[in-house]
Amino acid sequence: MTKQQLAPLSRTETEILRIVWQLEKAAVQEVYDTFPRRRRVSFATVQTLLRRLEKKGYLKHTVRGNANIYHTAVNMESVLKKTVNDFLERVFAGDPIPLMLHLAKHGRLTTEDIKKLMELIEEE
């Protein structure tokens, strides 16, 4: 499965993938221990989701003793790009302007963020 063909991620899969990126390599127990307690996800669920992420092509594993050690198979930038592009297509018919306006209107963009966007525009 190529990066362009990666299946979409659920919210919990995304959280687990982010943890593996953060840890770089992790056993199921390490991912479980790092997962936010407020989400109340069981050890078995984390284990299942790690396997699912591997099947989808986002993770790979090696074996250390009796434990599978997971690491990412794709880089964060490509997953972010795909996820944002999928969201833009689904929600905004591919038009980023309504998203940017929403973020600005609801205080999700700081003055510093807007400066960075202006610099990016000027570079183009």
Side-chain angles (χ1 to χ4, degrees):
M1 185 175 279
T2 67
K3 290 177 185 172
Q4 286 79 17
Q5 297 171 328
L6 289 171
L9 296 172
S10 70
R11 175 184 176 189
T12 307
E13 288 172 336
T14 303
E15 288 177 288
I16 288 177
L17 185 59
R18 195 173 344 160
I19 290 169
V20 176
W21 273 321
Q22 175 189 345
L23 298 174
E24 295 181 8
K25 293 182 180 181
V28 179
Q29 185 68 52
E30 294 168 307
V31 175
Y32 176 75
D33 290 344
T34 306
F35 204 82
R37 290 293 148 230
R38 63 178 161 57
R39 297 274 285 126
R40 298 181 187 225
V41 175
S42 72
F43 179 89
T45 299
V46 170
Q47 187 173 38
T48 299
L49 290 170
L50 284 164
R51 288 184 188 137
R52 189 179 297 163
L53 284 165
E54 184 171 26
K55 186 175 181 179
K56 286 183 174 185
Y58 290 94
L59 296 177
K60 292 183 180 182
H61 82 273
T62 56
V63 178
R64 182 173 58 194
N66 292 331
N68 288 340
I69 306 300
Y70 291 91
H71 59 278
T72 58
V74 294
N75 68 40
M76 186 185 302
E77 183 63 31
S78 65
V79 174
L80 289 173
K81 182 178 179 180
K82 180 185 181 340
T83 302
V84 171
N85 287 340
D86 288 349
F87 176 77
L88 275 175
E89 283 300 321
R90 212 174 47 253
V91 179
F92 298 102
D95 185 1
I97 300 302
L99 174 60
M100 297 302 292
L101 292 174
H102 173 81
L103 294 172
K105 182 177 179 181
H106 295 284
R108 300 296 281 210
L109 292 177
T110 65
T111 303
E112 187 61 33
D113 294 333
I114 294 170
K115 284 180 185 177
K116 288 177 185 175
L117 286 170
M118 293 301 292
E119 290 170 7
L120 185 62
I121 291 167
E122 290 173 6
E123 287 176 13
E124 293 292 315

